[in-house]
Amino acid sequence: MRVLDPSEVDHDVPAAVGACLGDLLEQRLEEAGAADPVFAADLADRVARFALTGGRRLRSVFLWWAMRGCGGGPREAPRALGVAAALELIQTCALIHDDVMDGSAVRRGRPAVHVAVDHQYGTAGRASPCGTFGGAAAVLAGDLALAWADDAFVQAVRGAPQEERAARVWRVMRTEMVAGQYLDLHGQVTRATSAARAERSAVLKTARYTVAHPLALGAVLAGASERTQARLREAGHSAGLAFQLHDDLQGAFGDPAVTGKPVGEDIREGKATYLLAVARELCLREGDRAGLRLLDEVTGAPSTRAADTGHASGAKSAARTAHPASARYARDGADGQDIARVLDLLDRCGARERVSRRVRELCARGIREVRAAGLAPDAADRIGALLHAACTPGAPTGRPVPAAPPAARDTAGPVLIGEAR
């Protein structure tokens, strides 16, 4: 296996992962072209472009710095980059499938895969069990990304001293990711509204998948002790949950120009997010029947009307609200007014502040666990800074976090809604 200089990768982890991913996908695309040129052009090429463009490589960066912090060097670096590439492909699978299940038209500021395929063939109005031809094709595209991810993982760890331990982490991660997404869908259908249920889904599909398992994989590849692995898993659990809860807040109150996704989708679809679950519990505690009725009538309603809900006065109140997201929706017609009224309720009942406070607490706990894991100081600082940026941009964590050197380009950027997935 080719020996790399890890210090060079340290300066720009996402670029190194992207280069590794590019080499891998070049081979996969050749194989796809040999199988069938239409399949290669319509699906394989789209999967490759999706994986190579957009996204922040956050899971890969967590894996890399855990490996470096646990003493990994030139021998471990190629394996770490290979597993990181596999993580990017499993994330590609997750997001392509996610957009089909949610009916999302946009991903990373561009048409979602199923929308692009339907546009190519003019099949947007032709229903199928998967929605449309584009929906069925996107299911296959996600399956292809998952197959490529498993191939990349096996190739990366083959012959490594920690091959079986790494494979166990990989298997658990895949299963928990699917379980969390199923709980998310199940909650929408059954109207499961408890905060505990919403948190369980967030832990499985985001906290462990996005932070805890990548950290554990990096530690395992470096041969870290069980104690260090346990500390990093706990750090990832706390900070990863904070990441998802922050993602929920951004989905409600964020700026689409920054997040890359339309705001209000979770509210319209009735997603059982922790934010909405907390709002419901606070309304129940305070006996706010009007607030409960608003949540019941608006969340999950694709085209609601203020006049039909009996809360016309609430729409006027929302139009006057101070926060920009609510004001923006209040100008967007009846449906926008309904979303604005829900945003106003999330502020007024205290749900937004309660979730924001929990995000800060969880992030601080995660950073403390990282510092207690016995990592090399530079790696611990990098991971701490990444956790802080991903979980609570602009918010205090309770202790100072050293910034990464200017040359390093692995700090998290603006959260893209759904990327916590």
Side-chain angles (χ1 to χ4, degrees), residues 338-406:
D338 287 331
I339 300 299
R341 290 160 54 223
V342 173
L343 297 181
D344 184 61
L345 175 66
L346 295 176
D347 257 336
R348 182 164 38 83
C349 76
R352 183 184 187 184
E353 173 53 33
R354 175 172 291 195
V355 175
S356 297
R357 184 169 62 249
R358 182 124 198 265
V359 167
R360 294 192 295 270
E361 292 168 351
L362 285 167
C363 185
R365 184 187 307 166
I367 292 172
R368 286 196 299 271
E369 289 292 340
V370 167
R371 300 203 182 287
L375 304 182
D378 181 56
D381 288 347
R382 301 291 187 111
I383 294 172
L386 284 164
L387 293 178
H388 180 256
C391 300
T392 53
T397 62
R399 65 185 302 168
V401 179

Side-chain angles (χ1 to χ4, degrees), residues 295-330:
L295 291 172
D296 287 338
E297 293 171 345
V298 175
T299 58
S303 182
T304 52
R305 293 293 180 265
D308 294 335
T309 63
H311 291 286
S313 62
K316 295 177 182 177
S317 174
R320 295 191 302 267
T321 190
H323 58 73
S326 180
R328 179 171 64 247
Y329 276 110

Side-chain angles (χ1 to χ4, degrees), residues 283-296:
C283 287
L284 279 169
R285 190 182 70 183
E286 298 299 322
D288 185 353
R289 295 182 180 178
L292 289 170
R293 189 160 61 249
L294 178 64
L295 291 172
D296 287 338

Side-chain angles (χ1 to χ4, degrees), residues 216-228:
L217 281 168
V220 166
L221 291 173
S225 68
E226 290 293 339
R227 175 188 174 278
T228 296

Side-chain angles (χ1 to χ4, degrees), residues 116-128:
V117 173
D118 273 330
H119 179 75
Q120 178 183 352
Y121 287 99
T123 52
R126 302 182 194 177
S128 77

Side-chain angles (χ1 to χ4, degrees), residues 133-145:
F133 169 69
V139 170
L140 293 174
D143 290 347
L144 181 64

